[in-house]
Every structure is written in structure tokens, then in C-alpha cells.
Amino acid sequence: MVRLLAVLALLFAAVPLAFAEAPRAFDDNADSIAIVVGNRNYKQTTPVDYAHNDAGAIREFLVRGLRFRDENVFVLQDATLNELNQAFGSEANPQGGRLWRSVVAGRSNVFVYYSGHGAPDLRTRQPFLLPQDGDPNFPESGYALETLYRNLELVKQKVGPARQVVVMVDACFTGETGRKGENMLAVSAPGFTPAKPKAAGGVVRLAATSGATPANWDEGAKLGLFTSRFLMGAAGLAAPKGAGAGDARRVEWADLQAYVAREVQATARREVGREQAPEIDVAALSLPMVEPAPAIRRSFDRARDEAAWRSAEIDGSREALEAYVGQCAEPCAYRDQAMDRLLKRRRAAEATADDETWRRLSAEGKYQAYLDGCGKVCAYRRLALGYLGKDGEAAAPPPLAEPEKPAAPAEARDPAKELQAAKAAGTVEALDAFLKANPKGRLATEARAARAALVKRTPSSAPAAAATRTKPYEPTAAELRAFKATEAEMARYRPTAAQQRALGERYRPEYNRRAARDGRAAADAWLKSVAFEVGRRQGEQAKRQILIDRRRAAEAAGR
């Protein structure tokens, strides 16, 4: 029994060492081998639009990101069945392919990628990859997915447990072309779900769909959606915020698995209205974080920016919003939203502080203290000046911006009618104005004659009379300040209910705009200031008119 426990202890002590090495297998790719297949063009069915782009992006990821040697990455475009057999080995000769011959035991990681059509065998329900010369209605013309997995399992046995074999398939096996409503099969098979191939021991598999749903495109990046999100996740979007720095930055397989599944499902639903559920094997594996490939650079930057904004938005704190503004890189699409929130929050805080200061100081009658301590927000300034008897020192509030009315089209001038109007006015000034606008021509000669006749008819005493004519009475500022009107007199000029409603409607849009931008407290303070100023102006206008009415009544009584 003691011996058994000692043996078990030795075994369990060795397990962590094995798993400590496996996760970083892709850090050393000097002898790693990859086969990348992009089948776009087909002899007997529709093309797969972005398959060549997919293959190019994956090659870039392997060579520039994971540091595979360029000569060890074999890219096949529009591969025939014979070429697939030569690359992976056939069912009859699984070790006859280039991949088996190329890998080095204990030294090679393996990455196999396929983008193109897949199809189902309706009789056996087994899925197969469709070669460029294959017919989707004849399974024997395809390369069975189960054969690929089985042959890769043999490759895994050759390279050993310290190395990784990964196979990624961006294809669907429902018989659909990827375009809505199109089917590759001669026999319709709605709802058909192909059987899943047997698991390949030690091989890490990534499939674009669960089998029952089609694969979709990332139209912006012009890649398969599954491929696009895998590359974006591997470039760092799958890593938790703040995971590692510099050379230590890594993407754990579990995080990549969750990110790809989540983003593919969400994007397929949002952009094309279809389901797509990727299937990715669990693996004790991590990848070094790589620079995004050129094909996904723009999509990556947009997604990273959106993720940073969503994080700041959920946090909601001033620090989080300021961090987004200060650190966001292009396209920085949410900078204006973040700034609006920060400024709105600051204005609301200033308005609240101003409100509290006014309530505290006005209760004690300390209006000058309020004015002395006023900051950018000083909503009660006019009230304070009014209570101090200094309302005349306050500058009028800026008039509210009224919507610009389109200019009326200019009417064509009619000099003959203008001359007729000037003659009808019977004044030298009217004829002079006409001559200024029309200095030449027959009408000008006629206007000068009319002016000369008018001057000749005017008595010589007219200028003196005009000089002694009194101007209309206008109250002075001192008279307005000293004047006290009776309640009955003021009631005659008080705005009616209809006028007050019209005034309220005039200011409503600006009030709503300020409430949305600065908060309701700040908008209320602004409205109080406006109401005070409007009331003051209406009072002065009423007093002015009452004084004029009294003067006219006195003059009439004197005559």
C-alpha cells in the first residue's frame, strides 16, 4: 500500500510539469508545419467569395504572428481532390501525404486550415470538404472530414504530446451555399443536420458552425466571419482587460474560445439575421498575442475602440470616461459622447453648487457675497443685483437664438412706382431718396422738376416752423426710476394669459435643450433668470407708456 501511494505521488507530481509545457507549445515554431486551403472557385457549384482572402489572412497570422517559417506554410488555392489527398493523405494511405512527411517528431506543431464549401452525404450523414473539381451531390468526389481528422490523429502521434495539432474549418455542411435561399444539392433537405465526425484524440478542432447552421461572411473585412473573429481574438480582443504587458501578453485558449463563440453568434444575428454557433475544442493551450493582420486591422481597431467605450460606459465614473478620452486610439468613435458626458456632469455639479449657494446666502440677505463668489454658473446674478438695487448695471441676457427664417425673394424694383410714391409723399426728402437711388435717366429729370416745384411752393417760414416743431415726448431713465404707477395703470399693460402662454412656448425649446444638455436644475436656474429679465423689461415698458399717456392727457387738457 505504501509503495502504491509513492508511485501515485510520483505520477501526480509529473502531471503539472507536462501541462506547464503544453500551453506554450506555439512559442517555438522553427519546425512547425501548416497547410492552408482556400477554395473559392468551383467547377460544379457557386464560388465561395472570400475563401482566397481567408487563406491569405491565416498565412499572414502564421508567418508574421506565430513565426512559422514561410517555406513551412503550404497554401493551396482551389485545391482538387487529388491535391487534398497529396497534402493530407487518403483514407487508404493516411501516411502518404506531404503533412506526414514534413513534420518532425517532437519538434513540429501543426496548423491545418480550410475555407471553402462543405457538403453532407445524405445517405451516411457524414460531412465532407468539397474540392474544386468535386460535385456536392456525389460524396465520393469529396474529401471526408472524418478522414482528415483520423489522418491528423496519426500526425499528432508522430509529433508527440509536447506539440500541438490544430485544425480549423471555416465551412458549413448543410448543403447551403452561404447565400440566402441557395442550395448546392439537387435534392432539397430542409433542416438536415450532418453527423459529427468521431473525435480525433489529441487534435484541437475549430469548426465554423455546429452543423445545422450555415457559415456567414464578415463583409467589412471580406473574410469568413469565423476566421475574422478568430484572428481578432488572437490579436488581443479575447484577452481580459489588462492581461499581461509587453512580451508577456498572451491569449489563453479558454478566453479565445469564449470570445469567438460569443462574437460570431452576436454578429451573425445582428448583421445577417441568422444563427451561427461555432464549435471549438477545449485545450490546455495559450498563444502569444500577435499584431492584427492587415485584413482585419480596421475591424480590429473598431472593435477594440467599441470595447473600451463600453467598458467606460458601464463603469460610468469620471475616471473611466477620462481614461477613454485620454487613451483611445483611432478611430476613437466615442470621444464626443464621452466628452459630452463629462461636461454635462461638470455643468450639473456647478449648477447644483450654485443653487445651494444661492439658497444659503439669499436666506441671510447676503446678495453681494453671492455675487462675489459666483463662478461660471451664476444663475441668480440678476436677482441678486435686483435685490441690491443695481439691476441697471446688469447686462441684458443674450437674446435666445431664434430659428433663421429663409430670406424672402427680393421683389423686382419699379422706378416709375417709386417716383409716383415719392411725389405722393409731397416732401423734398422723399424725392431726394428717389434721386439717390435713380440719379440718371428720364425719371430722374422728372423727379428733379417735381422737387424744384415743391421747393418753390414751400413758404419761406417752413424751415423755421420745422425747426421749432417739438419732438415726441420720451421719458428719461431718471423719470422711469422715480415714477410709481398705480395698480390700475399697471393692470392695463399686464400680459394676458394668451400672451404668457405664447411667451412660454417661445422659450420651451431652449429650456428643453438646456435640460437635456446640462440637467433640469441648471435649466430651471436659467429660466428663473430669463423670467426675471423679461418681467423687468415689461415693467419698464409699461411705466414708459403710462408716462407718455399722462403727458398726452395733460397736453390735451391744456389745449
Side-chain angles (χ1 to χ4, degrees):
M1 184 67 178
V2 174
R3 179 178 174 79
L4 178 61
L5 291 174
V7 172
L8 289 174
L10 288 172
L11 289 174
F12 284 120
V15 169
L17 293 177
F19 277 94
E21 294 301 322
R24 292 179 175 258
F26 276 105
D27 287 12
D28 172 20
N29 291 309
D31 294 307
S32 295
I33 304 296
I35 295 182
V36 179
V37 181
N39 276 8
R40 180 187 187 280
N41 303 303
Y42 285 87
K43 287 185 177 180
Q44 302 186 60
T45 189
T46 57
V48 178
D49 293 338
Y50 303 136
H52 287 177
N53 296 352
D54 285 340
I58 290 293
R59 180 196 167 279
E60 187 86 6
F61 163 70
L62 294 170
V63 174
R64 296 185 58 185
L66 298 186
R67 304 300 180 186
F68 277 59
R69 290 181 178 176
D70 196 19
E71 62 270 21
N72 286 350
V73 179
F74 306 110
V75 179
L76 304 177
Q77 290 189 348
D78 303 335
T80 63
L81 177 59
N82 187 47
E83 288 174 320
L84 293 179
N85 283 326
Q86 289 175 1
F88 303 117
S90 64
E91 183 176 8
N93 184 16
Q95 297 177 359
R98 171 187 284 180
L99 180 59
W100 170 270
R101 297 193 304 271
S102 299
V103 296
V104 179
R107 292 289 304 153
S108 298
N109 295 307
V110 174
F111 197 101
V112 171
Y113 176 84
Y114 175 85
S115 174
H117 278 312
D121 183 339
L122 297 181
R123 184 179 60 83
T124 66
R125 303 180 67 84
Q126 289 298 322
F128 59 90
L129 307 179
L130 189 64
Q132 180 264 354
D133 55 351
D135 186 333
N137 297 288
F138 292 92
E140 59 272 17
S141 69
Y143 191 91
L145 193 59
E146 189 169 348
T147 299
L148 176 63
Y149 289 165
R150 187 169 56 247
N151 291 358
L152 290 178
E153 186 175 359
L154 295 175
V155 173
K156 171 62 177 172
Q157 292 172 9
K158 180 177 179 179
V159 299
R163 291 293 169 172
Q164 294 287 348
V165 176
V166 176
V167 54
M168 180 174 176
V169 179
D170 196 345
C172 64
F173 300 94
T174 60
E176 297 182 54
T177 65
R179 298 179 176 88
K180 284 188 176 181
E182 284 190 4
N183 199 300
M184 296 188 297
L185 303 178
V187 178
S188 177
F192 176 81
T193 303
K196 293 184 180 180
K198 295 177 183 177
V203 177
V204 181
R205 300 171 304 169
L206 301 89
T209 76
S210 60
T213 57
N216 299 288
W217 299 117
D218 178 347
E219 295 290 350
K222 299 190 184 304
L223 297 172
L225 178 59
F226 180 56
T227 299
S228 164
R229 294 308 183 264
F230 172 82
L231 293 173
M232 288 166 65
L237 292 185
K241 186 177 180 181
D247 294 337
R249 298 177 69 216
R250 305 190 65 80
V251 178
E252 298 301 324
W253 190 261
D255 294 328
L256 182 60
Q257 181 185 26
Y259 172 83
V260 174
R262 180 179 68 248
E263 289 299 315
V264 168
Q265 285 181 310
T267 306
R269 288 172 184 164
R270 182 178 65 249
E271 297 189 3
V272 295
R274 299 200 297 190
E275 293 295 322
Q276 181 177 344
E279 290 190 342
I280 303 174
D281 286 342
V282 175
L285 175 64
S286 75
L287 299 175
M289 200 178 294
V290 302
E291 280 295 310
I296 62 156
R297 180 83 243 188
R298 186 174 297 177
S299 298
F300 175 87
D301 289 342
R302 284 199 303 265
R304 180 181 57 183
D305 181 50
E306 183 174 359
W309 166 243
R310 295 303 170 212
S311 176
E313 188 178 36
I314 291 170
D315 185 293
S317 66
R318 170 185 168 182
E319 291 76 13
L321 293 169
E322 288 179 345
Y324 171 79
V325 172
Q327 299 172 14
C328 70
E330 290 299 329
C332 206
Y334 304 93
R335 188 198 301 271
D336 290 346
Q337 291 186 43
M339 286 301 302
D340 284 346
R341 292 195 182 195
L342 287 167
L343 294 176
K344 179 179 178 181
R345 183 175 298 179
R346 188 178 72 180
R347 285 191 292 263
E350 290 173 347
T352 300
D354 181 62
D355 216 31
E356 292 174 355
T357 302
W358 171 253
R359 282 199 297 269
R360 176 171 52 82
L361 295 178
S362 64
E364 302 172 7
K366 298 180 178 179
Y367 306 118
Q368 188 60 51
Y370 170 79
L371 292 171
D372 293 342
C374 249
K376 289 184 179 179
V377 178
C378 196
Y380 301 91
R381 180 171 180 272
R382 295 195 175 281
L383 280 173
L385 288 170
Y387 288 142
L388 291 169
K390 301 178 181 179
D391 54 315
E393 299 177 13
L400 294 178
E402 302 250 354
E404 293 185 5
K405 298 180 180 179
E411 295 183 4
R413 292 180 61 244
D414 187 341
K417 288 184 178 180
E418 292 175 4
L419 177 58
Q420 186 177 0
K423 287 181 177 180
T427 65
V428 171
E429 290 79 8
L431 290 167
D432 284 344
F434 174 82
L435 286 168
K436 185 176 180 180
N438 304 274
K440 297 179 180 180
R442 180 181 58 81
L443 294 177
T445 302
E446 186 176 340
R448 289 189 185 92
R451 184 183 186 284
L454 183 62
V455 170
K456 190 174 182 179
R457 289 198 305 271
T458 302
S460 57
S461 60
T468 58
R469 190 178 299 133
T470 59
K471 294 182 179 180
Y473 168 67
E474 182 65 34
T476 65
E479 287 176 316
L480 287 171
R481 281 196 297 270
F483 177 67
K484 301 293 183 183
T486 66
E487 181 62 28
E489 287 176 318
M490 292 297 292
R492 291 168 51 196
Y493 296 98
R494 188 169 291 129
T496 64
Q499 289 173 328
Q500 290 177 341
R501 283 195 298 272
L503 193 63
E505 289 302 319
R506 176 189 173 192
Y507 290 111
R508 184 187 300 278
E510 179 67 10
Y511 175 84
N512 290 339
R513 188 181 71 81
R514 287 174 179 263
R517 186 190 68 188
D518 304 331
R520 195 160 295 279
D524 288 342
W526 170 81
L527 190 60
K528 288 177 186 176
S529 174
V530 170
F532 175 80
E533 179 61 22
V534 169
R536 185 185 67 80
R537 289 179 180 177
Q538 288 178 339
E540 286 186 358
Q541 188 174 0
K543 287 164 64 176
R544 172 182 170 279
Q545 192 60 47
I546 292 169
L547 279 170
I548 292 173
D549 290 346
R550 284 188 178 183
R551 175 62 65 90
R552 287 175 178 170
E555 289 176 352
R559 287 196 297 269

